[in-house]
Structure formats: structure tokens, C-alpha cells
Amino acid sequence: MITIKEIASELGMSATTVSNVIHGKTKEVSPETIERVNAYLDEVDYVPNINARNLAQNHSNIIGIVLKTEEERHTYMNILADPFVAEMLGGIERTVRKAGFFLMLYISDDLDEIIRQVATWNVDGLLLFWMMDEDAIKIRKRFKKPMAFIDTYMSEETIKKMGHRYVNIGLKDEEGAYEAVKYLIECGHKKIGFMSDSDIGVDSRRYMGYERALKEAKLSIKDEYRFVLNTTTEGIDKSLEALAKQAEKVTAIFCTSDNFAALMINACERHGLHVPEDVSIMGFDDNLNGRLFRPPLTTMHQDIEYKGVLAASTLIDIIHEKPVEKHEIILEPSLVVRESVARI
Amino acid sequence: MITIKEIASELGMSATTVSNVIHGKTKEVSPETIERVNAYLDEVDYVPNINARNLAQNHSNIIGIVLKTEEERHTYMNILADPFVAEMLGGIERTVRKAGFFLMLYISDDLDEIIRQVATWNVDGLLLFWMMDEDAIKIRKRFKKPMAFIDTYMSEETIKKMGHRYVNIGLKDEEGAYEAVKYLIECGHKKIGFMSDSDIGVDSRRYMGYERALKEAKLSIKDEYRFVLNTTTEGIDKSLEALAKQAEKVTAIFCTSDNFAALMINACERHGLHVPEDVSIMGFDDNLNGRLFRPPLTTMHQDIEYKGVLAASTLIDIIHEKPVEKHEIILEPSLVVRESVARI
DNA sequence: TTGAAAGCGCTAACAA
DNA sequence: TTGTTAGCGCTTTCAA
């Protein structure tokens, strides 16, 4: 690979001049020089060494994606194959690339490791999925550059500590779940289950919405309405089997993701319970696969790809020193009625 | 961020010594020094500047994934959300990370741009998906380091030009398709369609297998058996609709991916054609979503994640200078009978 | 067993 | 308008 210095000596000028025309700092360079340099540059197909550049400029052109996996979750399948993540990633990748940045993935269940790697690469900004409040604080303590959180619920205290170079993109989870369950109730369901794999983060908000809808309708909430999926590779099949049995006690189940809905429908069908004739199943997210599913999924739609694009483009704005107007951007989901929920 | 030099002066020794203990070049360092350095290192939580290191060592610790998109294809949805890609990526990411490398994504329909970016980052090795023969040559001409191809059919000539630091991981596509279609024939089908979105690469081999099976059974191959999907965002819905109509002329359709099978089943059902009662649909890949699909997909299974893991680990071996025994590794698919194909 | 010094390729302040 | 020089943080050769 040819270097600036070599080019300079070849052309009989200094490296500075070459560097200047490369960067378009061309106000103080004569037109002929510019021409000569440019011609030579693409004659030899010059490609800069980005490591050297980064070292000199003390940045990296890298935007990091941090996916902190939880030991207990995300193990039944690889996290990049989660349709929600994959779809968002696609939007992010495109946005980041268009803006001239590169993407690096930091996936681990060890936040300290992630923090070190981010530091080692001198990453310019971070996109963080599903961070817990305490992890958000922890990472801010050691990473001072721009960050965009996706689906993180932060306490007031955390928000104070975030400074001003961050944004948090979320969804009206509580309301979305409330609307979803209200729809189920309108369809005549009285025994309604709630399925998730956790009771933290987004799931806890969705549970609150579920609860509110049931209370408002004066419907009771029983233990047997709580469907909790064990998503570990070893446990998932057994767990699903148990949930299918549990499904007999209920006429509808609200699931916190389309994925879970798909899993649940399969489990029910295997168990001889037809959807929606015997039991109604409702999803959340309206992801790409959900849209292909049979029966077509009734679900709460959110624009996943847009969420990623918005997070990435806002992050890039912050990196470019644009002041951020709103630190908390809350998107709205909307009901999509298809065929997995029956009126009874 | 603290630097080696600062640490050295703090400890009253030279940067060399500090660097040496960091790298475990500890044969010529006194135990006390080692101890002292290590203690200080984690007292201050030293993190190396990887840009500086890369510059000095002339490598990058980066493994690049190149996904060359085709203008005509891969547009109906973002390529990272393609379940095949996503699943493979998961396996790759884990393997790469465990080996201490980092992943960078290079996605573009412009191969020259990809080549420049790979050069700019001084990437240590490349993982390439679905390269066409001519692109493989082109990239080898400008990238001399280790490469692992996935699902590329190379000509003899190309193989010669590849040198010895490469591997190509493929699948018995022709045979897989042959087996699949043979199964369809065994089920009594005589009018069998072939659905794909292209006739190049892997698809062309699968078509050959399809053809062979039909010829062997003395079944005719008609134009109307050819289902070609227009995967552009604008065209896909119309295309699907047309294909659903076309499906009436056939009793079974062999699709070159589970994805297409899912799309096709949806189109057929919307059109009033039930699967498998009215028409049988067979997939290929057995991907994660296919496994959740209803009706459960009869398909040719391949171990997607393993393919990614194998490609990544072989690539890393090559980077580590291990000699490669086999440049062409061809995996075998296997038939999975589920419920989307009927006997007639 | 340790250290001095040069160099990786690039940028940027400053001088000419 | 162009060039000199120092420096980014690290590794590595060679000398001490």
C-alpha cells in the first residue's frame, strides 16, 4: 500500500500538501498542484491507512453497537437472529454507512469487557439496545462520548448523570400493551394470559399495561394467567409444552413479542389447541416474520427499522455536535388486527 | 486514557518494559517488575489504544464480512434481516469474538468501494457471502490476505488465482435440490414448479438438481413451472400475486429458500389455495423462522449456523498461518419432512 | 534485565 | 502557496 509520503516524494512535494488536497483543504493550494495530486492519487488508487489517521486525529469513525446479553435470556437462539434485532440492525447499518461511519458489534454478557473494548477502539459513539438502568449509569461513568439508547427505562437520577450528549428512543410500551389487551377484552375475552420471558425493562411496562386494562374492565388477574417462558436452550421445549397445557385455562394470550406469539402458537397447535378457534394469541412488534406467519398475527405494530434509523441518525447528529433537542423520544405503537385473535 | 509512556514514567521504568509485560514477553523481565507493572496496570485499568497498536504491528484484528448486494435482489428487505444471513452472522460473531478478533460489516453493491474500505482498515481476513466468480477474482487481485468464501461457485481458473490462503464453504446444492424434487415426485407430484429470484449462483445449481430429478422421472419441464420472484420492494407484492395465480397450474412448488416458501404459502392462502391441500410447497435451508412456520415446512435442512462457524474458524486458522488442507468444503443438506407437502 | 530510539502513516501547528 | 517538524500511542530492534 502506497503512503502519502511516497506520493509526496514521487511528486516532489511535501506530505502536508498531499494530505491537504486529500482533505479538501484546498484554499491555500494552487489549482495545478491539486490537479496533479488528484490525478496521481487515483492513478495509484491511494487508500488511506485509517489506523494512522485515527491515531493522529484521536477518533475512530466507528460507531459501536452494544448488545448486552443476559445470561438467563437470549440463549435459545443467537441474538443477531432475533428478528427484532436483525431488522433494526439493517436500518442502523445503512444509516451509519451513508454517514461515513463504520459499525462494530460489541456483544457480551460482561459489561466491563464491552466497556474496555469500546475504549480500546476509541469508538466515536454508541448505540445501546435494551440497557438496564444500572448498566446505563455504569457505562456513562466510563464512556463520555455520544450515546443513543434504544428501549431503556432510565430513572430520573440516571438521566441527570447522562449529561447532554445522549438520546433515548423508546416506545409507549405500557400504553401499547394496554391497547392490545383492551382489544382482547373488546373481543369478548375474560381470561387473558400474559406471556413474556422476563419481568424487567420493556416487559415490565407491558405488564403494567396489561394489568391496567384488566383492572379497568374489572377482570381478575390470576397466577395461572402468567405465562413465563424459559428461553434457555435446554429449557425452552419443556417450558413451551407446559405453557401449552396452561393455555387451556385461558381464552387469549397477550405475548410481549411476535416471536413469543409464534412459539406459543406452535406449542398450542402441537398440543391440539387451534389458534384462534381454541385460543387467541396476540403478538407485539409486528416484525418481518410475524408478517409472514400463519395465521396472520394480530399484533401491536411498531416501526422497528425506523427506530434503528432514528437512533443512528440522532447519534450521528450528536457526534457532529448538533445540540439535541429531546433526550427522550417515545414512539407510538398501533394495533394491527389480523387473524390470530377470535371474537368470542 | 492513560498511556504506556505515562505508566512507565510513573513506575520509573521504560515503556518497553511495560509493553513487554503487557504482551507476556516476560522471559527477560524480573518477577518483581512484572508484579509491579501488572498491579499498576489494573489499578489504573489500562486499556491499550488499538489504533496505535495496529499501526505499529501492521494489522488490525478485524475480520471483515463482505455482503455484496445485487441491485436487483435483496431489496425487498434489508439483508441483515434475512434469516439465513442473520443466523450465520450469529455463529460467525461468536467465533470471531472468542478468537479475539473484531467484526466489521462491509455491505454495498459496489465492490470497488468494499475493496477500498477493507484496505483502509487493513483488515486481517475476509468472510464473503455469495460472491460471484468474477467478483471473487476481482477481490483476490487486490486483497492478498486470508479469505473464506461462503456459497461461491468458482471456476477452475479462479481457483488457480486464489492462492493457498483461502477456503470455500459450500453445500451440495444440486444434489439437495435433486433430493428435494425426488421426494416431491415420490409423493405423487407430476407438475412441479421451481421458485427462485435469480438463476445465478446457488440458484442455478438448485435448478440443475430440479431438472435432473424431473428428467430422470421422465416428467416434462414447462415454462409455466418456472416461478420467478421479483424481490424489489415495489415489485414483490404484484409478483407474488401473479405467482399465486400461476400456482394453480401445478401441484407442488420447490422453492430455493424457506423464505420464498413462506412468501409463497402466504400468497397462495390469500389466493384461496390451501397448503398443502391444494398445492404443496417445499422450502430449502430449514432456517429459524421456517421452523416456526405454519404449516410446518417440509424442506432441505442445512446447518446454517455451523456453516458460519466453520467459515469463521477456518479463516482464523488461516490467519494464524495454519496450512489449509481442503480449500473446498462441501456440506450436505438433508431432507426434513414436515407438513407443507401432501401425498397425492 | 532494562532502556533508547526509531518507526508505523497520518495530521496539524507553524514557519518559510 | 508550500514545507518542516513534532506528535498521536504503540512495538521492536539493538545496545547497554
Side-chain angles (χ1 to χ4, degrees), chain B residues 276-293:
Chain B
E277 297 83 355
D278 300 322
V279 59
S280 291
I281 304 274
M282 183 151 187
F284 203 110
D285 287 347
D286 193 26
N287 73 225
L288 239 28
N289 308 313
R291 266 167 266 162
L292 282 180
F293 206 75

mmCIF file of all heavy atoms in Angstrom, chain B residues 276-293:
data_model
loop_
_atom_site.group_PDB
_atom_site.id
_atom_site.type_symbol
_atom_site.label_atom_id
_atom_site.label_comp_id
_atom_site.label_asym_id
_atom_site.label_seq_id
_atom_site.Cartn_x
_atom_site.Cartn_y
_atom_site.Cartn_z
ATOM 1 N N PRO B 276 -51.118 -27.811 2.587
ATOM 2 C CA PRO B 276 -50.741 -28.481 1.345
ATOM 3 C C PRO B 276 -51.921 -29.090 0.568
ATOM 4 O O PRO B 276 -51.674 -29.765 -0.422
ATOM 5 C CB PRO B 276 -49.848 -29.599 1.864
ATOM 6 C CG PRO B 276 -50.486 -29.996 3.147
ATOM 7 C CD PRO B 276 -51.098 -28.751 3.716
ATOM 8 N N GLU B 277 -53.158 -28.832 1.019
ATOM 9 C CA GLU B 277 -54.284 -29.499 0.364
ATOM 10 C C GLU B 277 -54.349 -29.188 -1.136
ATOM 11 O O GLU B 277 -54.485 -30.098 -1.959
ATOM 12 C CB GLU B 277 -55.622 -29.091 1.012
ATOM 13 C CG GLU B 277 -55.762 -29.491 2.476
ATOM 14 C CD GLU B 277 -55.093 -28.499 3.411
ATOM 15 O OE1 GLU B 277 -54.427 -27.548 2.913
ATOM 16 O OE2 GLU B 277 -55.216 -28.664 4.639
ATOM 17 N N ASP B 278 -54.257 -27.913 -1.467
ATOM 18 C CA ASP B 278 -54.390 -27.542 -2.873
ATOM 19 C C ASP B 278 -53.046 -27.513 -3.608
ATOM 20 O O ASP B 278 -52.964 -27.806 -4.794
ATOM 21 C CB ASP B 278 -55.051 -26.164 -2.992
ATOM 22 C CG ASP B 278 -56.434 -26.171 -2.349
ATOM 23 O OD1 ASP B 278 -57.134 -27.197 -2.483
ATOM 24 O OD2 ASP B 278 -56.799 -25.173 -1.697
ATOM 25 N N VAL B 279 -52.059 -27.128 -2.896
ATOM 26 C CA VAL B 279 -50.736 -27.095 -3.513
ATOM 27 C C VAL B 279 -49.682 -27.346 -2.427
ATOM 28 O O VAL B 279 -49.814 -26.867 -1.302
ATOM 29 C CB VAL B 279 -50.497 -25.747 -4.247
ATOM 30 C CG1 VAL B 279 -50.616 -24.570 -3.299
ATOM 31 C CG2 VAL B 279 -49.149 -25.722 -4.953
ATOM 32 N N SER B 280 -48.704 -28.127 -2.785
ATOM 33 C CA SER B 280 -47.625 -28.417 -1.838
ATOM 34 C C SER B 280 -46.479 -27.438 -2.046
ATOM 35 O O SER B 280 -46.177 -27.061 -3.178
ATOM 36 C CB SER B 280 -47.106 -29.846 -2.057
ATOM 37 O OG SER B 280 -48.082 -30.772 -1.667
ATOM 38 N N ILE B 281 -45.875 -27.048 -0.937
ATOM 39 C CA ILE B 281 -44.764 -26.101 -1.039
ATOM 40 C C ILE B 281 -43.573 -26.654 -0.266
ATOM 41 O O ILE B 281 -43.710 -27.056 0.887
ATOM 42 C CB ILE B 281 -45.132 -24.732 -0.433
ATOM 43 C CG1 ILE B 281 -46.392 -24.166 -1.074
ATOM 44 C CG2 ILE B 281 -43.946 -23.769 -0.547
ATOM 45 C CD1 ILE B 281 -46.202 -23.380 -2.324
ATOM 46 N N MET B 282 -42.453 -26.645 -0.915
ATOM 47 C CA MET B 282 -41.247 -27.149 -0.260
ATOM 48 C C MET B 282 -40.214 -26.034 -0.183
ATOM 49 O O MET B 282 -40.051 -25.262 -1.119
ATOM 50 C CB MET B 282 -40.708 -28.311 -1.068
ATOM 51 C CG MET B 282 -39.509 -28.957 -0.448
ATOM 52 S SD MET B 282 -39.427 -30.697 -0.899
ATOM 53 C CE MET B 282 -38.063 -31.205 0.144
ATOM 54 N N GLY B 283 -39.513 -25.977 0.928
ATOM 55 C CA GLY B 283 -38.512 -24.929 1.104
ATOM 56 C C GLY B 283 -37.097 -25.453 0.963
ATOM 57 O O GLY B 283 -36.864 -26.569 0.505
ATOM 58 N N PHE B 284 -36.167 -24.623 1.372
ATOM 59 C CA PHE B 284 -34.758 -25.014 1.373
ATOM 60 C C PHE B 284 -34.075 -24.159 2.437
ATOM 61 O O PHE B 284 -34.329 -22.961 2.521
ATOM 62 C CB PHE B 284 -34.124 -24.740 0.000
ATOM 63 C CG PHE B 284 -32.894 -25.579 -0.276
ATOM 64 C CD1 PHE B 284 -32.919 -26.581 -1.219
ATOM 65 C CD2 PHE B 284 -31.710 -25.361 0.434
ATOM 66 C CE1 PHE B 284 -31.790 -27.372 -1.480
ATOM 67 C CE2 PHE B 284 -30.580 -26.146 0.194
ATOM 68 C CZ PHE B 284 -30.616 -27.144 -0.768
ATOM 69 N N ASP B 285 -33.247 -24.786 3.234
ATOM 70 C CA ASP B 285 -32.429 -24.151 4.287
ATOM 71 C C ASP B 285 -32.799 -24.621 5.680
ATOM 72 O O ASP B 285 -31.946 -24.825 6.514
ATOM 73 C CB ASP B 285 -32.519 -22.617 4.303
ATOM 74 C CG ASP B 285 -31.783 -21.961 3.160
ATOM 75 O OD1 ASP B 285 -31.007 -22.651 2.498
ATOM 76 O OD2 ASP B 285 -32.028 -20.761 2.910
ATOM 77 N N ASP B 286 -34.112 -24.714 5.926
ATOM 78 C CA ASP B 286 -34.564 -25.009 7.272
ATOM 79 C C ASP B 286 -34.070 -23.948 8.235
ATOM 80 O O ASP B 286 -33.382 -24.250 9.211
ATOM 81 C CB ASP B 286 -34.074 -26.399 7.705
ATOM 82 C CG ASP B 286 -34.786 -26.880 8.962
ATOM 83 O OD1 ASP B 286 -35.918 -26.430 9.200
ATOM 84 O OD2 ASP B 286 -34.203 -27.693 9.699
ATOM 85 N N ASN B 287 -34.415 -22.716 7.949
ATOM 86 C CA ASN B 287 -33.931 -21.654 8.837
ATOM 87 C C ASN B 287 -34.830 -21.498 10.072
ATOM 88 O O ASN B 287 -35.880 -22.106 10.182
ATOM 89 C CB ASN B 287 -33.734 -20.349 8.073
ATOM 90 C CG ASN B 287 -35.025 -19.662 7.703
ATOM 91 O OD1 ASN B 287 -35.186 -19.217 6.587
ATOM 92 N ND2 ASN B 287 -35.984 -19.570 8.602
ATOM 93 N N LEU B 288 -34.352 -20.680 10.967
ATOM 94 C CA LEU B 288 -35.008 -20.471 12.253
ATOM 95 C C LEU B 288 -36.497 -20.178 12.122
ATOM 96 O O LEU B 288 -37.326 -20.726 12.839
ATOM 97 C CB LEU B 288 -34.315 -19.291 12.934
ATOM 98 C CG LEU B 288 -33.664 -19.498 14.280
ATOM 99 C CD1 LEU B 288 -33.189 -20.911 14.507
ATOM 100 C CD2 LEU B 288 -32.517 -18.524 14.461
ATOM 101 N N ASN B 289 -36.856 -19.307 11.207
ATOM 102 C CA ASN B 289 -38.258 -18.942 11.081
ATOM 103 C C ASN B 289 -39.044 -20.033 10.409
ATOM 104 O O ASN B 289 -40.211 -20.250 10.699
ATOM 105 C CB ASN B 289 -38.417 -17.677 10.262
ATOM 106 C CG ASN B 289 -37.544 -16.598 10.820
ATOM 107 O OD1 ASN B 289 -37.536 -16.381 12.018
ATOM 108 N ND2 ASN B 289 -36.785 -15.957 9.958
ATOM 109 N N GLY B 290 -38.387 -20.693 9.480
ATOM 110 C CA GLY B 290 -39.042 -21.811 8.819
ATOM 111 C C GLY B 290 -39.521 -22.812 9.858
ATOM 112 O O GLY B 290 -40.606 -23.373 9.753
ATOM 113 N N ARG B 291 -38.707 -22.971 10.878
ATOM 114 C CA ARG B 291 -39.060 -23.941 11.913
ATOM 115 C C ARG B 291 -40.278 -23.510 12.718
ATOM 116 O O ARG B 291 -40.922 -24.320 13.364
ATOM 117 C CB ARG B 291 -37.853 -24.161 12.833
ATOM 118 C CG ARG B 291 -37.011 -25.350 12.406
ATOM 119 C CD ARG B 291 -35.685 -25.370 13.113
ATOM 120 N NE ARG B 291 -34.658 -24.709 12.307
ATOM 121 C CZ ARG B 291 -33.506 -24.271 12.791
ATOM 122 N NH1 ARG B 291 -33.234 -24.393 14.061
ATOM 123 N NH2 ARG B 291 -32.641 -23.682 11.987
ATOM 124 N N LEU B 292 -40.560 -22.223 12.693
ATOM 125 C CA LEU B 292 -41.730 -21.733 13.434
ATOM 126 C C LEU B 292 -42.963 -21.631 12.544
ATOM 127 O O LEU B 292 -44.052 -21.319 13.021
ATOM 128 C CB LEU B 292 -41.440 -20.345 14.005
ATOM 129 C CG LEU B 292 -40.594 -20.284 15.258
ATOM 130 C CD1 LEU B 292 -40.409 -18.847 15.690
ATOM 131 C CD2 LEU B 292 -41.239 -21.087 16.368
ATOM 132 N N PHE B 293 -42.751 -21.843 11.294
ATOM 133 C CA PHE B 293 -43.819 -21.572 10.347
ATOM 134 C C PHE B 293 -44.982 -22.556 10.442
ATOM 135 O O PHE B 293 -44.826 -23.687 10.875
ATOM 136 C CB PHE B 293 -43.242 -21.602 8.926
ATOM 137 C CG PHE B 293 -44.047 -20.770 7.975
ATOM 138 C CD1 PHE B 293 -43.957 -19.395 8.004
ATOM 139 C CD2 PHE B 293 -44.909 -21.373 7.088
ATOM 140 C CE1 PHE B 293 -44.715 -18.623 7.150
ATOM 141 C CE2 PHE B 293 -45.678 -20.607 6.232
ATOM 142 C CZ PHE B 293 -45.585 -19.234 6.259
#
